[in-house]
Each structure stands twice: as C-alpha cells, then as structure tokens.
Amino acid sequence: MNDDEFRIARKRMVDEQIAARGVLDPHLLAVMGSVPRHLFVPTDDLAWAYSDGPLPIGHGQTISQPYIVALMTELLQVEPADRILEVGTGSGYQAAVLGQVAAQVHTVEVIPELAAQASRILADLGYANVHVHTGDGSLGWPEAAPYEGILVAAAAPSAPKPLLDQLADGGRLVIPVGGHGFQHLEVWRRAGQEFKRRVDLAVAFVPLRGEYGWK
Ligand code: SAM
C-alpha cells in the first residue's frame, strides 16, 4: 500500500468505525485521520493497520482497536494545555493521538523493548511533547505529576490509589476495571479530595501488571 491508500483507509476508519459509533469531536476525528497508525504496527500486519480491531505487537501485547483509542481519548476530555499520563505505551499509537490533543504526554511501559521501540517511532515522527518511560505504570509517574488526565490502557483489578493521587484538581482518570476476559471502562473525576466515578462501556484489555495490577 502507498501513502494515498493508507490515507484513504484512515478516512474510512474514521467514518465507519469511529464517527459512526458516536465519537463526534471534530478535532479528535481530524487527529484520528492524521496519525499514521500503520507505522505503529508490525510490518507483517500493514494490510490490517486500519481494520476494526486490536492487533498483536509482540511480547503478548496489542495495539488497541482504533475506536477504543478514540473513545478513551474523548472520555478523558483533554484540553490543549493539559498534561496527560498514559499507562501502557505498547506501540506508542495512543500516546501519539494524545500528543496531538494535549500539551505534554508522559507514557509508561513495563516491557523495556516495547518502550524503546515506541520511543524510536514517536521521535522519528517528531512527537517532541511525548515522553516515554520504562517502569511500573500502576504506580503512575510521580516525577511529572499532577496530571489533568490519566489513561490506563490495560485492565486493573481496581483504580490504583497512586493514579488517583496524581490527578490534578478537576483531573480525569479513564481505566478498564475488571478480571480477565472483559472489563468496564471507569471514568473518575477529582474535585479537591473527592473522587466521583461512573461506569462506561464494556471492553477487553490485556491485564495491568505491577504493584497495583494483577499478580
Ligand atoms: N496504548 C497502547 C497502544 O496504543 O499501542 C496499547 C497498550 S496494550 C493494550 C497494554 C500495554 O500495557 C502493554 O504494552 C503492556 O506491556 C502494558 N502494561 C501492562 N502493565 C503495565 C504496567 N504496570 N506499567 C506499564 N505498562 C504496563
């Protein structure tokens, strides 16, 4: 496939998988239509880069379905000046999308090889505002806290306390919570020392590891 064919596939992805399911923010749709997802998937899977599902990225991990990337970004209600934390860098694709809607993105990946590869791709594409770290993201990334938004891209037993603690006043946490198989997206909002939670869509994520993840 050439660049034109990838652009057409991306446009179809936005129309048929994302807007058709109700994600309608014009800026977010433009971002989803511009980030080259095919550069974040293994070369063997290029033909499926814009298909309606997750794809394997090695080490037993996946790049999330495009619709879920868009939905979680929308649920995070990102403002242009926001500082965002992502837990579970994986391929780096979700971090690239966040880097287009927020001022600063910190993303933490527990598998060093995936962190290194995502860091290389993001640097090649010029995402100077996306910072990739290696470590246990269930502990957050206190060095850059507080965050207006925290997005967790792996399924947790419950919302980790360190992540709630690292939210700025008014900040949002979007996280899949539940056991193996399927979970529900939880959306938390901090108001001072109070935390409000609502439950959104059923999803299927790989497990969060680490201190506040699944043992
Ligand atoms: N956001 C990614 C993307 O756009 O490709 C997809 C993430 S994948 C569904 C989940 C990732 O979370 C995996 O790469 C996995 O290694 C990572 N992960 C699991 N537990 C983690 C932890 N405690 N800290 C950081 N990353 C973790």
Side-chain angles (χ1 to χ4, degrees), residues 44-67:
D44 283 354
D45 285 334
L46 274 186
W48 289 274
Y50 295 98
S51 61
D52 193 11
L55 289 171
I57 55 171
H59 304 273
Q61 305 303 325
T62 53
I63 176 173
S64 305
Q65 180 186 11
Y67 166 61

PDB file of all heavy atoms in Angstrom, residues 44-67:
ATOM      1  N   ASP A  44       4.384  -7.088   9.156  1.00  0.00           N
ATOM      2  CA  ASP A  44       3.575  -8.210   8.656  1.00  0.00           C
ATOM      3  C   ASP A  44       2.079  -7.888   8.654  1.00  0.00           C
ATOM      4  O   ASP A  44       1.302  -8.533   7.953  1.00  0.00           O
ATOM      5  CB  ASP A  44       3.765  -9.449   9.545  1.00  0.00           C
ATOM      6  CG  ASP A  44       5.089 -10.131   9.244  1.00  0.00           C
ATOM      7  OD1 ASP A  44       5.765  -9.701   8.295  1.00  0.00           O
ATOM      8  OD2 ASP A  44       5.430 -11.089   9.968  1.00  0.00           O
ATOM      9  N   ASP A  45       1.679  -6.926   9.483  1.00  0.00           N
ATOM     10  CA  ASP A  45       0.248  -6.632   9.650  1.00  0.00           C
ATOM     11  C   ASP A  45      -0.166  -5.315   8.994  1.00  0.00           C
ATOM     12  O   ASP A  45      -1.270  -4.806   9.260  1.00  0.00           O
ATOM     13  CB  ASP A  45      -0.107  -6.556  11.152  1.00  0.00           C
ATOM     14  CG  ASP A  45      -0.155  -7.932  11.767  1.00  0.00           C
ATOM     15  OD1 ASP A  45      -0.411  -8.899  11.023  1.00  0.00           O
ATOM     16  OD2 ASP A  45       0.083  -8.040  12.986  1.00  0.00           O
ATOM     17  N   LEU A  46       0.690  -4.774   8.105  1.00  0.00           N
ATOM     18  CA  LEU A  46       0.398  -3.468   7.499  1.00  0.00           C
ATOM     19  C   LEU A  46      -0.989  -3.414   6.867  1.00  0.00           C
ATOM     20  O   LEU A  46      -1.696  -2.409   6.984  1.00  0.00           O
ATOM     21  CB  LEU A  46       1.436  -3.155   6.411  1.00  0.00           C
ATOM     22  CG  LEU A  46       2.735  -2.492   6.880  1.00  0.00           C
ATOM     23  CD1 LEU A  46       3.582  -2.114   5.686  1.00  0.00           C
ATOM     24  CD2 LEU A  46       2.435  -1.280   7.754  1.00  0.00           C
ATOM     25  N   ALA A  47      -1.381  -4.506   6.209  1.00  0.00           N
ATOM     26  CA  ALA A  47      -2.660  -4.512   5.490  1.00  0.00           C
ATOM     27  C   ALA A  47      -3.846  -4.377   6.449  1.00  0.00           C
ATOM     28  O   ALA A  47      -4.938  -4.004   6.039  1.00  0.00           O
ATOM     29  CB  ALA A  47      -2.791  -5.797   4.672  1.00  0.00           C
ATOM     30  N   TRP A  48      -3.630  -4.704   7.749  1.00  0.00           N
ATOM     31  CA  TRP A  48      -4.711  -4.654   8.737  1.00  0.00           C
ATOM     32  C   TRP A  48      -4.607  -3.418   9.647  1.00  0.00           C
ATOM     33  O   TRP A  48      -5.353  -3.289  10.606  1.00  0.00           O
ATOM     34  CB  TRP A  48      -4.713  -5.919   9.600  1.00  0.00           C
ATOM     35  CG  TRP A  48      -5.155  -7.118   8.835  1.00  0.00           C
ATOM     36  CD1 TRP A  48      -6.448  -7.533   8.634  1.00  0.00           C
ATOM     37  CD2 TRP A  48      -4.327  -8.054   8.137  1.00  0.00           C
ATOM     38  NE1 TRP A  48      -6.467  -8.660   7.853  1.00  0.00           N
ATOM     39  CE2 TRP A  48      -5.189  -9.008   7.528  1.00  0.00           C
ATOM     40  CE3 TRP A  48      -2.956  -8.181   7.946  1.00  0.00           C
ATOM     41  CZ2 TRP A  48      -4.703 -10.060   6.759  1.00  0.00           C
ATOM     42  CZ3 TRP A  48      -2.479  -9.233   7.182  1.00  0.00           C
ATOM     43  CH2 TRP A  48      -3.341 -10.148   6.596  1.00  0.00           C
ATOM     44  N   ALA A  49      -3.684  -2.508   9.315  1.00  0.00           N
ATOM     45  CA  ALA A  49      -3.401  -1.387  10.232  1.00  0.00           C
ATOM     46  C   ALA A  49      -4.646  -0.569  10.556  1.00  0.00           C
ATOM     47  O   ALA A  49      -4.773  -0.041  11.653  1.00  0.00           O
ATOM     48  CB  ALA A  49      -2.327  -0.483   9.636  1.00  0.00           C
ATOM     49  N   TYR A  50      -5.571  -0.450   9.597  1.00  0.00           N
ATOM     50  CA  TYR A  50      -6.763   0.397   9.812  1.00  0.00           C
ATOM     51  C   TYR A  50      -8.030  -0.449   9.973  1.00  0.00           C
ATOM     52  O   TYR A  50      -9.136   0.057   9.810  1.00  0.00           O
ATOM     53  CB  TYR A  50      -6.878   1.419   8.665  1.00  0.00           C
ATOM     54  CG  TYR A  50      -5.690   2.364   8.705  1.00  0.00           C
ATOM     55  CD1 TYR A  50      -4.579   2.164   7.889  1.00  0.00           C
ATOM     56  CD2 TYR A  50      -5.654   3.417   9.614  1.00  0.00           C
ATOM     57  CE1 TYR A  50      -3.461   2.995   7.973  1.00  0.00           C
ATOM     58  CE2 TYR A  50      -4.547   4.254   9.704  1.00  0.00           C
ATOM     59  CZ  TYR A  50      -3.463   4.035   8.885  1.00  0.00           C
ATOM     60  OH  TYR A  50      -2.366   4.861   8.992  1.00  0.00           O
ATOM     61  N   SER A  51      -7.848  -1.739  10.307  1.00  0.00           N
ATOM     62  CA  SER A  51      -9.023  -2.605  10.486  1.00  0.00           C
ATOM     63  C   SER A  51      -9.626  -2.369  11.878  1.00  0.00           C
ATOM     64  O   SER A  51      -9.002  -1.783  12.761  1.00  0.00           O
ATOM     65  CB  SER A  51      -8.628  -4.067  10.288  1.00  0.00           C
ATOM     66  OG  SER A  51      -7.659  -4.411  11.242  1.00  0.00           O
ATOM     67  N   ASP A  52     -10.848  -2.887  12.048  1.00  0.00           N
ATOM     68  CA  ASP A  52     -11.682  -2.568  13.209  1.00  0.00           C
ATOM     69  C   ASP A  52     -11.405  -3.505  14.385  1.00  0.00           C
ATOM     70  O   ASP A  52     -12.302  -4.208  14.840  1.00  0.00           O
ATOM     71  CB  ASP A  52     -13.151  -2.673  12.765  1.00  0.00           C
ATOM     72  CG  ASP A  52     -14.111  -2.075  13.775  1.00  0.00           C
ATOM     73  OD1 ASP A  52     -13.656  -1.391  14.709  1.00  0.00           O
ATOM     74  OD2 ASP A  52     -15.328  -2.299  13.607  1.00  0.00           O
ATOM     75  N   GLY A  53     -10.160  -3.529  14.862  1.00  0.00           N
ATOM     76  CA  GLY A  53      -9.856  -4.399  15.997  1.00  0.00           C
ATOM     77  C   GLY A  53      -8.452  -4.164  16.494  1.00  0.00           C
ATOM     78  O   GLY A  53      -7.671  -3.431  15.869  1.00  0.00           O
ATOM     79  N   PRO A  54      -8.105  -4.793  17.640  1.00  0.00           N
ATOM     80  CA  PRO A  54      -6.725  -4.718  18.122  1.00  0.00           C
ATOM     81  C   PRO A  54      -5.819  -5.594  17.253  1.00  0.00           C
ATOM     82  O   PRO A  54      -6.309  -6.460  16.534  1.00  0.00           O
ATOM     83  CB  PRO A  54      -6.826  -5.268  19.549  1.00  0.00           C
ATOM     84  CG  PRO A  54      -8.031  -6.158  19.534  1.00  0.00           C
ATOM     85  CD  PRO A  54      -8.958  -5.649  18.470  1.00  0.00           C
ATOM     86  N   LEU A  55      -4.499  -5.366  17.311  1.00  0.00           N
ATOM     87  CA  LEU A  55      -3.540  -6.192  16.565  1.00  0.00           C
ATOM     88  C   LEU A  55      -2.388  -6.554  17.490  1.00  0.00           C
ATOM     89  O   LEU A  55      -2.027  -5.755  18.374  1.00  0.00           O
ATOM     90  CB  LEU A  55      -2.965  -5.399  15.379  1.00  0.00           C
ATOM     91  CG  LEU A  55      -3.899  -5.119  14.194  1.00  0.00           C
ATOM     92  CD1 LEU A  55      -3.233  -4.134  13.240  1.00  0.00           C
ATOM     93  CD2 LEU A  55      -4.241  -6.415  13.474  1.00  0.00           C
ATOM     94  N   PRO A  56      -1.780  -7.740  17.293  1.00  0.00           N
ATOM     95  CA  PRO A  56      -0.628  -8.105  18.126  1.00  0.00           C
ATOM     96  C   PRO A  56       0.590  -7.227  17.817  1.00  0.00           C
ATOM     97  O   PRO A  56       0.805  -6.861  16.648  1.00  0.00           O
ATOM     98  CB  PRO A  56      -0.348  -9.553  17.742  1.00  0.00           C
ATOM     99  CG  PRO A  56      -1.081  -9.801  16.477  1.00  0.00           C
ATOM    100  CD  PRO A  56      -2.156  -8.781  16.329  1.00  0.00           C
ATOM    101  N   ILE A  57       1.346  -6.860  18.851  1.00  0.00           N
ATOM    102  CA  ILE A  57       2.565  -6.051  18.648  1.00  0.00           C
ATOM    103  C   ILE A  57       3.792  -6.751  19.233  1.00  0.00           C
ATOM    104  O   ILE A  57       4.841  -6.129  19.415  1.00  0.00           O
ATOM    105  CB  ILE A  57       2.431  -4.621  19.249  1.00  0.00           C
ATOM    106  CG1 ILE A  57       2.049  -4.688  20.735  1.00  0.00           C
ATOM    107  CG2 ILE A  57       1.440  -3.795  18.439  1.00  0.00           C
ATOM    108  CD1 ILE A  57       2.111  -3.333  21.455  1.00  0.00           C
ATOM    109  N   GLY A  58       3.660  -8.054  19.549  1.00  0.00           N
ATOM    110  CA  GLY A  58       4.775  -8.784  20.149  1.00  0.00           C
ATOM    111  C   GLY A  58       4.703  -8.765  21.662  1.00  0.00           C
ATOM    112  O   GLY A  58       3.944  -7.992  22.254  1.00  0.00           O
ATOM    113  N   HIS A  59       5.478  -9.655  22.302  1.00  0.00           N
ATOM    114  CA  HIS A  59       5.547  -9.752  23.767  1.00  0.00           C
ATOM    115  C   HIS A  59       4.172 -10.028  24.381  1.00  0.00           C
ATOM    116  O   HIS A  59       3.910  -9.651  25.527  1.00  0.00           O
ATOM    117  CB  HIS A  59       6.154  -8.478  24.376  1.00  0.00           C
ATOM    118  CG  HIS A  59       7.501  -8.146  23.823  1.00  0.00           C
ATOM    119  ND1 HIS A  59       8.672  -8.658  24.322  1.00  0.00           N
ATOM    120  CD2 HIS A  59       7.850  -7.366  22.772  1.00  0.00           C
ATOM    121  CE1 HIS A  59       9.693  -8.210  23.618  1.00  0.00           C
ATOM    122  NE2 HIS A  59       9.223  -7.428  22.675  1.00  0.00           N
ATOM    123  N   GLY A  60       3.259 -10.640  23.589  1.00  0.00           N
ATOM    124  CA  GLY A  60       1.919 -10.959  24.100  1.00  0.00           C
ATOM    125  C   GLY A  60       1.031  -9.739  24.271  1.00  0.00           C
ATOM    126  O   GLY A  60      -0.019  -9.821  24.922  1.00  0.00           O
ATOM    127  N   GLN A  61       1.402  -8.607  23.669  1.00  0.00           N
ATOM    128  CA  GLN A  61       0.649  -7.357  23.862  1.00  0.00           C
ATOM    129  C   GLN A  61      -0.034  -6.936  22.564  1.00  0.00           C
ATOM    130  O   GLN A  61       0.218  -7.515  21.506  1.00  0.00           O
ATOM    131  CB  GLN A  61       1.585  -6.257  24.377  1.00  0.00           C
ATOM    132  CG  GLN A  61       2.321  -6.639  25.640  1.00  0.00           C
ATOM    133  CD  GLN A  61       1.371  -7.028  26.769  1.00  0.00           C
ATOM    134  OE1 GLN A  61       0.282  -6.478  26.912  1.00  0.00           O
ATOM    135  NE2 GLN A  61       1.782  -8.001  27.586  1.00  0.00           N
ATOM    136  N   THR A  62      -0.884  -5.911  22.650  1.00  0.00           N
ATOM    137  CA  THR A  62      -1.665  -5.482  21.483  1.00  0.00           C
ATOM    138  C   THR A  62      -1.684  -3.963  21.359  1.00  0.00           C
ATOM    139  O   THR A  62      -1.524  -3.247  22.350  1.00  0.00           O
ATOM    140  CB  THR A  62      -3.139  -5.944  21.611  1.00  0.00           C
ATOM    141  OG1 THR A  62      -3.641  -5.488  22.878  1.00  0.00           O
ATOM    142  CG2 THR A  62      -3.279  -7.446  21.520  1.00  0.00           C
ATOM    143  N   ILE A  63      -1.891  -3.500  20.117  1.00  0.00           N
ATOM    144  CA  ILE A  63      -2.265  -2.103  19.871  1.00  0.00           C
ATOM    145  C   ILE A  63      -3.791  -2.103  19.903  1.00  0.00           C
ATOM    146  O   ILE A  63      -4.434  -2.967  19.295  1.00  0.00           O
ATOM    147  CB  ILE A  63      -1.706  -1.586  18.517  1.00  0.00           C
ATOM    148  CG1 ILE A  63      -2.183  -0.158  18.217  1.00  0.00           C
ATOM    149  CG2 ILE A  63      -2.045  -2.492  17.359  1.00  0.00           C
ATOM    150  CD1 ILE A  63      -1.505   0.456  16.958  1.00  0.00           C
ATOM    151  N   SER A  64      -4.391  -1.160  20.646  1.00  0.00           N
ATOM    152  CA  SER A  64      -5.846  -1.190  20.864  1.00  0.00           C
ATOM    153  C   SER A  64      -6.608  -0.879  19.570  1.00  0.00           C
ATOM    154  O   SER A  64      -6.085  -0.240  18.651  1.00  0.00           O
ATOM    155  CB  SER A  64      -6.236  -0.171  21.935  1.00  0.00           C
ATOM    156  OG  SER A  64      -5.507  -0.400  23.113  1.00  0.00           O
ATOM    157  N   GLN A  65      -7.867  -1.322  19.555  1.00  0.00           N
ATOM    158  CA  GLN A  65      -8.794  -1.036  18.449  1.00  0.00           C
ATOM    159  C   GLN A  65      -8.902   0.492  18.257  1.00  0.00           C
ATOM    160  O   GLN A  65      -9.010   1.230  19.248  1.00  0.00           O
ATOM    161  CB  GLN A  65     -10.154  -1.618  18.840  1.00  0.00           C
ATOM    162  CG  GLN A  65     -11.257  -1.437  17.850  1.00  0.00           C
ATOM    163  CD  GLN A  65     -12.599  -1.922  18.416  1.00  0.00           C
ATOM    164  OE1 GLN A  65     -12.710  -2.202  19.617  1.00  0.00           O
ATOM    165  NE2 GLN A  65     -13.590  -2.010  17.562  1.00  0.00           N
ATOM    166  N   PRO A  66      -8.904   0.992  17.012  1.00  0.00           N
ATOM    167  CA  PRO A  66      -8.974   2.446  16.778  1.00  0.00           C
ATOM    168  C   PRO A  66     -10.140   3.118  17.506  1.00  0.00           C
ATOM    169  O   PRO A  66      -9.965   4.193  18.105  1.00  0.00           O
ATOM    170  CB  PRO A  66      -9.147   2.553  15.259  1.00  0.00           C
ATOM    171  CG  PRO A  66      -8.539   1.299  14.711  1.00  0.00           C
ATOM    172  CD  PRO A  66      -8.780   0.233  15.736  1.00  0.00           C
ATOM    173  N   TYR A  67     -11.330   2.490  17.480  1.00  0.00           N
ATOM    174  CA  TYR A  67     -12.497   3.094  18.147  1.00  0.00           C
ATOM    175  C   TYR A  67     -12.245   3.269  19.647  1.00  0.00           C
ATOM    176  O   TYR A  67     -12.606   4.286  20.236  1.00  0.00           O
ATOM    177  CB  TYR A  67     -13.741   2.225  17.907  1.00  0.00           C
ATOM    178  CG  TYR A  67     -14.890   2.568  18.807  1.00  0.00           C
ATOM    179  CD1 TYR A  67     -15.457   3.848  18.771  1.00  0.00           C
ATOM    180  CD2 TYR A  67     -15.405   1.646  19.725  1.00  0.00           C
ATOM    181  CE1 TYR A  67     -16.512   4.188  19.621  1.00  0.00           C
ATOM    182  CE2 TYR A  67     -16.450   1.977  20.567  1.00  0.00           C
ATOM    183  CZ  TYR A  67     -16.997   3.244  20.511  1.00  0.00           C
ATOM    184  OH  TYR A  67     -18.025   3.579  21.361  1.00  0.00           O
TER     185      TYR A  67
END
